[in-house]
Structure formats: structure tokens, C-alpha cells
Amino acid sequence: MSTLPSIKRLDPTVINRIAAGEIIQRPANALKELIENSLDAGSTQIQIQAKEGGLKLLQIQDNGHGIKKEDLAIVCERYTTSKLKKFEDLSTIATYGFRGEALASISHVAHVTITTKTEDSKCAYRANYTDGKLAPPRPGQSADPKPCAGNNGTQITAEDLFYNMPQRKKALRSASDEYNRILDIVGRYAIHNAGVSFSCKRQGSMTADIQTTTTATIIDNIRQIHGSSVATELLYGERTFESQAFTMKSYISNANYSVKRTTLLLFINNRSVESPAIKRMIENVYSALLPKGGHPFVYLSILIKPENVDVNVHPTKQVVNFLNEEWIINSIQEVFQELLENANSSRTFYTQSLLPGAPATNADNSLFSTSTNKVAVYHQVRTDSRTTTMDSFLTGPIASYGTQSSISSIQDDANGTKRTNDVLEEEKNDEDVDMDTDSTLTYNKPSDTGVTSKADGSVDLVSKSQKRIKRDRVEVTLTSVLTLRKNVKKSEHIGMTDLLSNHTFVGCVDDTLALIQHQTSLYLVNYAVISEELFYQIALAEFNNFGFIELSTPISIKECISIALDTEEAYGTLPPQLQSKEQVAEIIVSKLMEFATMLEDYFSMLVNSEGQLMALPMLLRGYIPTMDKLPMFLLRLGTEVDWEDEQTCLDTLSREIAIFYSTEPPSPLPDNPAEYKRRHDRYLWQIQHLIFPAMKTTRFIAPKSLVRDGSSYITQLASLSDLYKIFERC
Ligand code: ADP
Ligand code: MG
């Protein structure tokens, strides 16, 4: 006699129960499926009741299209669905449910009762289910659906959840915990489905814990469920990315709002899901903006072509995979950053002290982080400690990042005011923070922009906005300039122009390279080189019409040039001199003074009678070149510019300005890593938010030299269709 256990086929009911337990892990999972069914049925009113956290009873009543009497016998069997007929439909499915598993699963772990009435039926029908099949309500009675009274729509009740899975039941913590999860799910769907009224209450309670109306907007619903403290601080963003076939819509909290934990209401194709990657991106975006330990509120709804989403990764359909994930997340991140930055500008200046940390790139790109192909536009200038503080000479938008301050928009509610003052306190101690704005700088005569008191930001701002003067644009008729502009046009590479003016910015790879997308391809571009071309063209286009970047303290040109000469000497790159360094510097200063009027009129470069530099041209609103390059720029104005012939002079001068303004990361500051990080963050911020957008807005013409003789300033990395395949395999 063998004592070996024999292998037996599991009872199908047990199999189904195990499978059901996978899908329905707790009352909130069941409810989510039921809510989705109600929404699929076109309901505008969904009422939910729960007893003991849904474990004793979970009931949902809707006013949707109902279930036909004939179908009642099979709705709770597995794989019965009215939403999917053949496998291919899976890819274009637009409704929530499609696998016909939810009701079946619930009926395997609970006693289910369905009461339903379609519009054209005279009465409602009620049916009971156990293990997927019709069951008699009481022993000995018929299991057939029974006619009864009822409204159009469906009521589904699940009782004694997990009555046949005692272990599972024990594992669930507490009724109140489960009820909170129910409220969480109802809240999410209520917010997302503006136009549908939701209510949720404990059975027997007189008041609902959630109650929304059919006329409420998403914001109304957020206010209703999460309170007005968050609802008043939301920024709305909406964007369609045709190249990536997705659209997004979001309400995200601004910098005034900060709580202990991130609230992320995420919907992908109208299904509430979780995405750790998206959550990480959000926390990353906000980490620089919110006080330490502070977290945002984010409602985000994404629609992706259904065929690009795989919802079948996880039994609860809670986690979804989609193709193109990194791209999509990057694009969303960009939108969020834009929203937050614009909001900061229209709110208060205090965010300026927070913004410098704003991460402009994302760490994911470290994949490509090779700085080997860094192109030095010209010898890097390493200056002494005197020049490392040059940024602080600027009254310009260095701290404002191209934002516009508006005193009237300072928050006046209790919290807002407090917060603003707090930060103002901080700013009083922060030497580098400046209250000025670029808009003032762009149009004011320099004499109007002096900052009187850094500490007294508010007063300063008011007086500034009153003083704002807009300079009329001067039409340029100089043949020399027109010829130079034509030459640019002549050297155009049409394909590259199109590429750069219609790109989507993906992210900076390092201090010289960035990724952009154009149509279905991904390109690596050397923005250090391209930005020089960009600024050269801006210099020609804005000739005679620049705004000023004013220096708060005039800088001695001679001293500055001496620094450059010392550096050149230290690097052994100084040609043998006929004159002493001192004399060279003096000659250049007198040259610049001689041409001071021309420099001021044409290039907004102010040189005073003492040989000091007072202002530089504003080429791109909000953009400040790396000041480390200023000494070399001034030196080269003496050595590289031909001051005799008009056209050559304007050409070489524009070129030198372009070299100066072209992007170059700040020099390391070994003694002050925090300050270096601040400058470096600002540098990358400018790349993303000023340089690349300018390629679109300034009608930038890509010169043939960018692609000539195989020099790879723009390299195609991959085409999206290939990437799809890669992601698919992941
Ligand atoms: P699925 O939603 O994946 O189709 P379910 O098991 O959730 O599968 O539902 C099975 C079927 O029952 C649905 O296809 C739908 O026809 C019907 N149904 C379920 N709930 C409702 C409801 N609230 N109103 C109308 N029909 C419903
Ligand atoms: Mg369903």
C-alpha cells in the first residue's frame, strides 16, 4: 500500500477562488471594479455604501444602462463581458473593464446580489450569485432572476467579502482602514469624473463622507474632497504631444502648498493607477521648490493610444506599462516645470530664492553622460577669485530667471502672507538674491534700474514697475547689417533649421550636449556650438534694439582685461608681446572708449568715461552669459574685432558677443560647492528654458557649418520606432 499522496485535480471552484483572490485583494479593489462598471454603463450618479469597511457589505447603485434580463444568468461567469469580442479588440479598448473577470471574481469571494433595470424593461430584476452562478436567495427557492421594483440602472451588493477565505479576511487590518481605502478610491474617481455625481457613506449613517454633484468641476471636486487649502493653490496644465500620441491634463499644487506626503491622483486612460516612476519624477520636480520634507498635490490624467498601453501586467490592472514611458514622463516633467516657473513669476518674488535649485535636467539621462565630446568654444578662462564674484555685480535677472514679479499677486490669505514674509526674511540674509526683473531690465534706460535696497524688495518692485519704459523698435537700414543677415540666410541648412525649430526638448545630457526629439527621431545636439550661432543671429537681428543687462557696480575694463591676459600668460597662450600687458590693456580700453557711442547705440554696451563697463546687451530675455567669460570677451574685443571696416566690424563684434554669450558652464568653485551647484543649476535651467526655446522663437537658421564635413554637432541617435521595439522588450 502506497502512502504517497496522490495528485488530484483541483476543484474548479477552488481554482476560481484563488484566482479571484488575486484580483480582489480587499474591498477597495472590488469597489474600483464596480465603479468602473458603473461608469462604463454611462452612469451620472453613483452611490456607494459600506458596512465594516466593505467587508460586511459593499453596495453600489448607479443610474446607467442596466443589464438585460437575458444576460443576468451569465454576468458573473468568468470571461463574460459585453465589451470585448475578439483578441484584437484588446488593443483599442476604451472602456474600463474588458476581461469579464470582475463580477465573476467578486462572486467567488462574496455573496453578490444584482438588481438591475434597463430603460425599455417594465420592471427591474434581482438575482443572487455564488461562485459565478445564479444562486437561490434562500435554500429551496428558484435561482432565476425575479422581477421587482427598481429604478433604471444597476445596484450591486457584495456581502460577507472573503467569507470563504478566512486567512485573507484576517490579514486585512481593520474596518476603518478598509473604509479609508474605499473613500480614497471613491474620491479619486469622483474628482476625475466631473459630471458624474458620487456619494459614499457608511451604511446606516445619515451623512455622506463624500458627496459630489453632477455640475461640479474637477477643481470643485478637489475642494470638496481635499479641502480648499489645496484647491486654491492649483495650477492647471494641459498639453497634447502628437509625436508621442498622448495628451495630459493636470492640476498641480504651487510652491505655496506643502504637505507631509505627496498626493498623486493618477489616471491613465481614465483608470486610476499607480506609477512609481511618475511619482519619483514629481517629487524630484518639487524637491527644489518646497521646504524640506514638503510634498505636493498632483492630479494627472494621461490619455495614451490604447494600443500603447499594456494593462494586463497585473491582475488588479492597478499597474500599467506603456510604451515610450520615459519620453512621456519627461514631457510631463517639462510641462510641470513650466507651470511652476510661470506661476512663480506671476506670484511673488520669494520663489526666486527657491528656484535656483530647480533641476532642469533629469538624472535618467545620465545614461548618456559622457563629456568627452565637449567642445571648448575657445580656451577656457580660469580667472582669479575676484572674478568669481562677478555674478554679484549684476542687477539683472540673475536671480529672477526670466520671471516677472508682480506685487499685486502676493498671496494675501493668512498662510500665504506668512510664507512670503518668512522667505523675505531669508532673502534679507541672502546677498545674491535680487529683486529686479528682466522685463524692467529689457526696456529701461539703465539709469532707471538701480536697485536701491536689496532687503526692501516690495517697495523696490512697485517703484520699478512704475518706471518701466518701453523703447520703440528701431528699423535697421544699414546695408552692412542687412548683408550680414542675408549671408546667414544663404548658408542655411534647411533640414537642420526645421529640426531645431520644431524640436521637443528632452533633456540635457551634460554641460554641452542635449537630447531633442524631432518627429520620430532622437538627436544629440551640441548646444554649446549651436548657441553661438544662435546668439550671432540674435546679435544681427536685434542690432540697435537690445535691452540692457546692467551691472550694479561698474567694472574696470582694464582690470578685467588684465585678468584675461594673466590667464593667457599662465596658459602660455599669450603671443610674444610688443607692448607690456599693461599697455595692451590700455590700448583696448581706449579703443572701446573711442567707440563707446557706437557700442551703446548698436549693442547696448555701456562704457563710461572712466573706462568702466556699465551694461551689456540683453540678447535673450532673462539670459545671462557665464560671467567667467567676461575678461576674455573684453580682451578679444581688442584683438579679434576689426574696428576699421563697417561691415567687418559689425560682423566680428557680433561674433565676439556670440562667443561670449554662447553657453558655457560656470567654473568650479572648490571653496563653495553650494554656490557652484546654484550656478550650475541655473546654467542648465537657462539651456532648457531659454536657449532651446529661442531656437523656436527667434526664427533661427541652422548654418550648413553645423553639419559640414562630418562634424557631429547634431547626431541622430535613434528613431522612435526602433525605441518602441526596445521598450517593448523591457
Ligand atoms: P467587464 O467589465 O470586464 O466586462 P465585469 O465582470 O466587470 O466585466 O462585468 C461583466 C459585464 O456585466 C459587463 O461587461 C457589463 O455588460 C455588465 N455590467 C457589470 N456591471 C454593470 C453595471 N453597473 N451596469 C451595466 N452593466 C454592467
Ligand atoms: Mg468591469
Side-chain angles (χ1 to χ4, degrees), residues 14 19 89 110 172 305 322 345 376 422 504 566 576 639 660 697 708 718:
V14 176
D89 291 348
L172 298 178
K305 267 196 188 158
F322 44 98
S345 63
D422 285 349
T504 305
D566 288 346
T639 59
F660 175 30
T697 54
R708 199 185 292 143

Side-chain angles (χ1 to χ4, degrees), residues 33-34 36-37 40 83 96-103 317:
E33 295 293 335
L34 296 171
E36 292 183 347
N37 281 347
D40 280 345
K83 299 160 196 171
Y96 290 104
F98 50 81
R99 298 188 300 191
E101 260 182 320
L103 281 182
K317 296 184 247 172

